[in-house]
Amino acid sequence: MTFEDDLQDSVRTIPDYPKPGVMFRDITTLLGDARAFRRAVDQLVHPWAGSKIDKVAGIEARGFILGGAVAHQVSAGFVPIRKKGKLPHQTVRMAYALEYGTDEMEMHVDAIARGERVILVDDLIATGGTAEGAVKLLRQIGADVVAACFIIDLPDLGGAAKLRAMDVPVRTLMAFE
Ligand code: PRP
Ligand code: ADE
């Protein structure tokens, strides 16, 4: 059994959630398995071991769980990127594409200084609309987006390719068709 198969086995698939036809890739089983959680975090940041990373930006909500662990691992600060209206201080805001329509995400305006090296973290990339919005938001305030890391890639939906076309190195640990 390969490493990837092993870790992939810890992700649970729920058919027809949240609606018919969707195969929901549930990472709560991976997070609840101490060995799998540690391996996922270690593997996500492996290429940047020894690099200077100033901040890890995590996307609400599942990106917060991983992003905090990743930030600790690379000795960086953690910055939440939240759905609009949740952050108390002055924010910068970016619209992003959902399956149907758009929404807006926010970050505190002073969370990242111009030129700081940032890794973006989320659990999964599908169409890439969420991550694309996050990269635009980070670049808007002058962050140097070093990489975007996800446990799961759904390559058929094209999100990772979209980010690479924006010159963002993308790291994923497994793919589901
Ligand atoms: C999920 C996932 C990513 C996003 C990926 O979050 O955690 O953030 O979808 O989809 P995309 O690549 O097509 O943009 P969701 O919007 O369901 O929010 P949640 O984490 O709060 O459940
Ligand atoms: N976000 C977008 N598509 C998803 C899927 N298939 N499973 C879990 N989260 C998702």
Side-chain angles (χ1 to χ4, degrees):
M1 185 181 276
T2 67
F3 166 73
E4 177 170 303
D5 288 340
D6 187 22
L7 198 60
Q8 195 148 350
D9 285 347
S10 68
V11 175
R12 173 168 58 191
T13 297
I14 313 285
D16 300 320
Y17 180 90
K19 58 186 183 184
V22 176
M23 298 289 275
F24 190 85
R25 309 303 179 179
D26 173 22
I27 62 155
T28 63
T29 40
L30 181 152
L31 298 172
D33 175 338
R35 181 169 156 273
F37 188 17
R38 175 173 289 281
R39 287 181 83 174
V41 171
D42 288 349
Q43 289 294 315
L44 271 182
V45 296
H46 182 71
W48 297 278
S51 304
K52 179 179 176 290
I53 301 298
D54 299 299
K55 300 277 166 58
V56 172
I59 300 176
E60 187 173 2
R62 290 170 256 161
F64 289 178
I65 304 162
L66 288 167
V70 164
H72 179 76
Q73 182 80 350
V74 298
S75 300
F78 176 78
V79 174
I81 296 179
R82 299 212 61 176
K83 287 158 189 171
K84 68 170 184 282
K86 302 280 190 179
L87 288 168
H89 184 56
Q90 190 185 345
T91 61
V92 282
R93 194 176 273 203
M94 182 63 63
Y96 66 104
L98 295 169
E99 195 177 352
Y100 302 105
T102 62
D103 202 348
E104 288 179 299
M105 62 177 75
E106 288 183 329
M107 190 173 64
H108 276 146
V109 68
D110 57 358
I112 296 172
R114 194 159 284 279
E116 281 194 313
R117 286 167 55 82
V118 178
I119 291 180
L120 178 67
V121 173
D122 204 352
D123 66 323
L124 174 147
I125 184 158
T127 66
T130 309
E132 179 187 30
V135 168
K136 286 182 179 169
L137 189 60
L138 290 165
R139 286 180 170 169
Q140 181 180 306
I141 65 161
D144 174 6
V145 183
V146 172
C149 299
F150 309 85
I151 292 181
I152 300 171
D153 184 18
L154 305 183
D156 293 350
L157 297 179
K162 186 182 285 181
L163 284 197
R164 290 186 178 111
M166 298 170 76
D167 290 326
V168 179
V170 177
R171 176 145 175 91
T172 61
L173 301 185
M174 66 186 75
F176 289 93
E177 295 308 310

